[in-house]
């Protein structure tokens, strides 16, 4: 008996799975994955469903739904301070608290809990849909903060060896919106994540201009955690990036494309055409991250572009492709290809999708 997958995703798209298994404990999750692997069964591990694009044909295999729960304090380790994050920012020093969180926990309630408990480090990641287990896979980031800055360990099942391992940050190979887990989706199953958070009523220094302006601050200033969380939620709601049944613009996979990271020379040539008007962010390695939203809009794909009955760009944010109610995954992919081809044609920049494709693969052109 097949099981529908569309209701388990924020896009509400895609066909059924041949089999669905719910794993409520870590032992059940590990056992379900090992059983499918031993049988040579195609396997999809699914939790919040916020960053997946399921094919209309569905998934011809077993889907393991991660429903694990639990947040526990970890005693301070007798080891040296963790290394800098992938972005170069130093990890937080004591006083700090380390929390181990089950992969099936929903992310935003965990962030709300941290803010309420006076634990700083994830406040700018408020309102992001999905599960805790997805955060290291995507190296979730927003408003100048990345989850890799606070992750000190990822507990994961290695499907090659069948063993459960505790992976330090360097083994996770975090980079912009990616990690070792995402680069090899067939190998690792995230079971739990450990975050080290500062015991501090104030946020980390604000790094993102839009957020600083919303708070009435300068870059580098700090603010009460609750104020930062509320400002981030307000900004995200204004872009349709907080899941809300009353907001059709939130029926999406979030930002569909990542911001392209260009060499300094390539960006300089591009910026020269527009007198430096392209929003951009210099990277520690000398490259420059350019705004995908700006490129999309200036290639002719504005808010609302598409079919208002099926699939269209959000009316609030150019990076979100939304299911307007009658869409299919094929419609979504067609619009995404149209947008990517337009940006490539206009600017010579290739856009890369952020979601994971299930039952099919992304190709820039049909």
């Amino acid at each position: 008996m097949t099981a529908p997958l569309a209701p388990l995703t924020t896009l509400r798209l895609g066909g059924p799975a041949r089999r669905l298994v719910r794993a409520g404990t870590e032992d059940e999750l590990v056992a379900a994955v090992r059983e499918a692997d031993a049988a040579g069964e195609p396997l999809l591990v699914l939790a919040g469903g916020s960053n997946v694009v399921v094919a209309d044909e569905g998934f011809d295999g077993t889907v393991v739904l991660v429903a694990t729960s639990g947040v526990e304090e970890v005693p301070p380790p007798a080891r040296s301070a963790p290394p800098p994050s992938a972005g170069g920012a130093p990890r937080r020093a004591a006083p700090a608290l380390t929390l181990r969180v089950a992969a099936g926990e929903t992310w935003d309630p965990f962030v709300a809990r941290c803010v309420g408990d006076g634990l700083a480090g994830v406040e700018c990641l408020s309102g992001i849909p999905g599960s805790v287990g997805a955060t290291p896979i995507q190296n979730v980031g927003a408003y100048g903060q990345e989850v890799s800055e606070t992750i000190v360990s990822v507990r994961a099942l290695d499907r090659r060896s069948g063993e459960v391992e505790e992976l330090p940050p360097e083994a996770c190979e975090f980079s912009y919106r990616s990690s070792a887990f995402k680069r090899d989706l067939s190998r690792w199953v995230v079971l739990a994540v450990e975050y080290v958070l500062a015991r501090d009523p104030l946020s980390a220094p604000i790094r993102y201009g839009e957020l600083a302006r919303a708070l009435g601050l300068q870059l580098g200033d700090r603010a009460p955690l609750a104020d930062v969380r509320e400002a981030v939620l307000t900004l995200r709601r204004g872009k349709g990036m907080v899941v809300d049944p009353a907001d059709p613009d939130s029926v999406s996979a979030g930002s569909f494309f990542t911001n392209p990271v260009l060499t300094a020379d390539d960006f300089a040539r591009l910026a020269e055409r527009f007198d430096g008007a392209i929003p951009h962010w210099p990277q520690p390695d000398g490259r420059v991250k350019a705004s995908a939203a700006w490129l999309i809009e200036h290639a002719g794909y504005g808010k609302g572009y598409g079919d208002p009955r099926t699939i269209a760009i959000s009316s609030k944010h150019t990076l979100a492709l939304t299911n307007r109610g009658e869409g299919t995954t094929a419609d979504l992919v067609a619009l995404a290809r149209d947008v990517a081809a337009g940006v490539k044609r206009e600017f010579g920049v290739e856009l890369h999708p952020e979601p994971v494709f299930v039952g099919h693969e992304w190709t820039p052109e049909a």
Side-chain angles (χ1 to χ4, degrees), residues 5 153 311 360:
L5 292 180
S153 179
I311 302 293
H360 58 147

Side-chain angles (χ1 to χ4, degrees), residues 6 39 104 118 147 149 198 230 271 306 345 350 361:
V147 76
E149 296 166 21
E230 189 52 44
R345 185 169 55 248
E350 187 170 340
E361 294 183 2

Side-chain angles (χ1 to χ4, degrees), residues 275-293:
D275 297 322
I278 304 173
H280 62 281
W281 302 270
Q283 301 299 291
D285 62 1
R287 295 184 299 168
V288 180
K289 185 191 303 179
S291 169

